[in-house]
Amino acid sequence: MFCRRTLQFRYVGDLFVAQTDSREGGIVAKTALITGVTGQDGSYLAELLLDKGYTVHGLIRRSSSFNTERIDHIYQGPEEPERSFVLHHADLTDGVALVNLLRDIQPDEVYNLGAQSHVRVSFDAPLYTGDVTGLGTIRLLEAVRASGIQTRIYQASSSEMFGASPPPQNEKTPFHPRSPYSVAKVYSYWATVNYREAYDMFAVNGILFNHESPRRGETFVTRKITRGVARIKAGLQDRLHLGNLDAVRDWGYAPEYVDAMWRMLQCDTPDDYVVATGEGVSVRQFLEFAFEHAGLDWAEHVRYDPKYERPSEVDALIGDASKAEELLGWKPEVKSRELARIMVDADIRLLSDQLTGAAVRVDR
Ligand code: NAP
Ligand code: GDD
């Protein structure tokens, strides 16, 4: 099922880059561009592609403080003679920068992971979310056209698009988005399908259900819980304030999910895939898993705060990923109880390192 590529060499900036088909046993040195490379998924995907021999270019946005914590361990400075990981300042709100970047890099694969990705925040910043998470995608697709390059595009679509449609959800389930974030993601989903149909682009949607890791942003519920567990265990806090505990999510492990993204771009034909574990767990159950693992009783520490409720909630997301299993050969190993253990252990280690002043890496 993997795609054939012919051997080519070319200059990208100061890099001499080779590409070939891995099935022919030659050098594998494809080039990829990742938007959102500083995020949870971007950092794991960059590692995966570097391991496969890719030259990886990452789009980062300018920040007044360092925003590269998740990728510092793979950073290669401009002084390194044969860099395979290169960062570029740009932004999904700046279409011209995207055209220039694509023209210079000429990537074989583009992974569009950049987004304002927080659902609750999207109610506070709906226009900004629409601009980055919605229009950002069409800017990137147009930039591919304008730069005249041949490339394969992965769009980070989301199970949030299913919203109010009851589980189990698969590729045929109708979308019923319940937030400005998911409305923007539906726009991006259809833009990707439209560019595939209209311009014959190899553009695919990965409809990923929630996936987490020790690198998950601290304000998403799983990480908020596991970080809270570590701090409660260490005596640094006593209470954890949360919103709706009844919501059900299908939580998988992020490193496994980026592998599914890559597999989608190696297929002979472009298509859209649901990626999920198939197991639904409530926020309350995840609390139990996480607190129990640290020998704590969650009911003694968790308090309700309506501030964390959403104006419209998504009650239950449970994915049916049988298409990905059948056509991509992708199957998840880590389910939510194991995930909670991995994240609690990592947060306990991270906090201990911070308290003792040891050198800290985010996923230790
Ligand atoms: P994340 O940790 O929030 O990372 C988002 C990335 O987007 C960060 O690198 C962020 O940069 C970047 N970004 C934000 N605004 C940008 C802009 N204007 N221009 C360029 N880059 C911008 O998200 P994630 O969990 O890795 O998710 C990756 C993608 O998958 C997102 O599109 C998300 O919506 C989607 N998704 C995630 C899940 C999930 O469960 N994790 C499920 C389905 C879909 P900074 O580091 O500078 O903020
Ligand atoms: N963040 C957060 N904080 N969520 C809480 C809290 C809290 O204090 N208390 C309860 N929740 C509930 C939310 O109401 C929601 O039902 C559930 O926990 C999960 O919330 P998040 O972890 O913020 O994730 P999400 O499901 O809204 O969105 C994530 O997954 C999507 C895929 O379905 C994000 O990663 C999105 O970018 C992604 O598309």
Side-chain angles (χ1 to χ4, degrees):
M1 85 172 314
F2 290 126
C3 310
R4 285 180 179 275
R5 297 284 174 96
T6 50
L7 183 65
Q8 297 173 17
F9 289 94
R10 62 160 190 267
Y11 279 101
V12 175
D14 55 351
L15 294 172
F16 192 46
V17 173
Q19 309 162 225
T20 187
D21 182 350
S22 60
R23 292 184 317 172
E24 309 298 342
I27 320 153
V28 180
K30 286 187 198 165
T31 302
L33 171 66
I34 305 175
T35 74
V37 74
T38 55
Q40 170 188 259
D41 291 5
S43 65
Y44 285 120
L45 180 65
E47 283 173 4
L48 179 94
L49 297 180
L50 288 169
D51 280 351
K52 290 185 185 297
Y54 279 61
T55 297
V56 177
H57 294 260
L59 184 160
I60 60 169
R61 50 184 187 155
R62 146 80 188 151
S63 160
S64 65
S65 54
F66 288 120
N67 60 352
T68 53
E69 191 189 9
R70 294 184 179 102
I71 49 171
D72 281 345
H73 60 291
I74 50 174
Y75 178 74
Q76 299 169 8
E79 70 287 351
E80 299 206 21
E82 289 181 24
R83 275 197 295 169
S84 52
F85 186 50
V86 186
L87 299 177
H88 307 263
H89 276 113
D91 199 295
L92 284 166
T93 57
D94 184 341
V96 174
L98 297 176
V99 175
N100 288 333
L101 205 54
L102 286 165
R103 203 178 38 220
D104 288 350
I105 298 169
Q106 304 220 353
D108 302 289
E109 297 170 9
V110 176
Y111 296 85
N112 185 29
L113 311 186
Q116 190 304 91
S117 73
H118 203 284
V119 174
R120 178 68 193 80
V121 170
S122 77
F123 288 98
D124 300 328
L127 297 185
Y128 175 73
T129 303
D131 194 7
V132 176
T133 308
L135 286 178
T137 305
I138 211 155
R139 280 192 198 98
L140 189 64
L141 291 164
E142 270 301 290
V144 167
R145 266 169 32 84
S147 57
I149 62 167
Q150 287 294 318
T151 190
R152 296 180 169 216
I153 304 161
Y154 172 87
Q155 168 57 21
S157 284
S158 166
S159 52
E160 273 289 307
M161 302 187 304
F162 297 125
S165 283
Q169 293 102 352
N170 65 21
E171 294 80 3
K172 296 194 168 70
T173 305
F175 298 143
H176 185 151
R178 299 268 288 167
S179 63
Y181 166 80
S182 46
V183 167
K185 282 289 184 188
V186 171
Y187 176 87
S188 288
Y189 171 93
W190 283 115
T192 303
V193 172
N194 178 238
Y195 275 56
R196 183 164 79 214
E197 292 173 356
Y199 305 115
D200 207 21
M201 281 189 185
F202 194 110
V204 308
N205 285 288
I207 308 174
L208 271 53
F209 282 61
N210 299 50
H211 47 279
E212 321 289 310
S213 74
R215 296 185 197 170
R216 186 57 144 152
E218 290 87 346
T219 61
F220 295 96
V221 77
T222 54
R223 185 76 199 285
K224 186 172 167 183
I225 291 170
T226 60
R227 193 169 170 268
V229 166
R231 292 177 61 80
I232 290 168
K233 185 86 179 159
L236 294 177
Q237 77 184 55
D238 188 42
R239 298 265 182 269
L240 181 63
H241 291 93
L242 295 172
N244 176 18
L245 304 189
D246 295 323
V248 170
R249 292 289 183 275
D250 176 335
W251 278 298
Y253 187 39
E256 296 183 341
Y257 283 47
V258 299
D259 175 51
M261 298 176 187
W262 174 77
R263 285 171 187 252
M264 285 176 216
L265 290 196
Q266 314 313 309
C267 290
D268 291 332
T269 50
D271 204 348
D272 308 316
Y273 298 89
V274 158
V275 175
T277 72
E279 216 180 75
V281 161
S282 68
V283 175
R284 186 177 288 99
Q285 282 171 296
F286 192 90
L287 270 173
E288 278 166 18
F289 298 156
F291 276 77
E292 248 175 52
H293 183 57
L296 297 166
D297 178 359
W298 71 270
E300 287 176 14
H301 300 281
V302 172
R303 296 291 176 268
Y304 173 69
D305 189 333
K307 173 168 93 186
Y308 298 110
E309 295 272 0
R310 284 123 197 234
S312 47
E313 175 64 291
V314 170
D315 293 332
L317 296 173
I318 307 170
D320 165 11
S322 35
K323 180 176 170 185
E325 189 176 336
E326 191 190 330
L327 298 180
L328 303 178
W330 180 86
K331 203 169 162 43
E333 300 287 331
V334 177
K335 303 284 173 72
S336 49
R337 186 185 281 274
E338 174 62 9
L339 178 65
R341 287 202 196 109
I342 293 171
M343 292 176 69
V344 166
D345 287 344
D347 269 319
I348 288 175
R349 274 199 305 276
L350 180 65
L351 185 61
S352 155
D353 286 355
Q354 283 166 343
L355 293 173
T356 57
V360 171
R361 233 190 82 178
V362 71
D363 61 342
R364 279 177 39 91

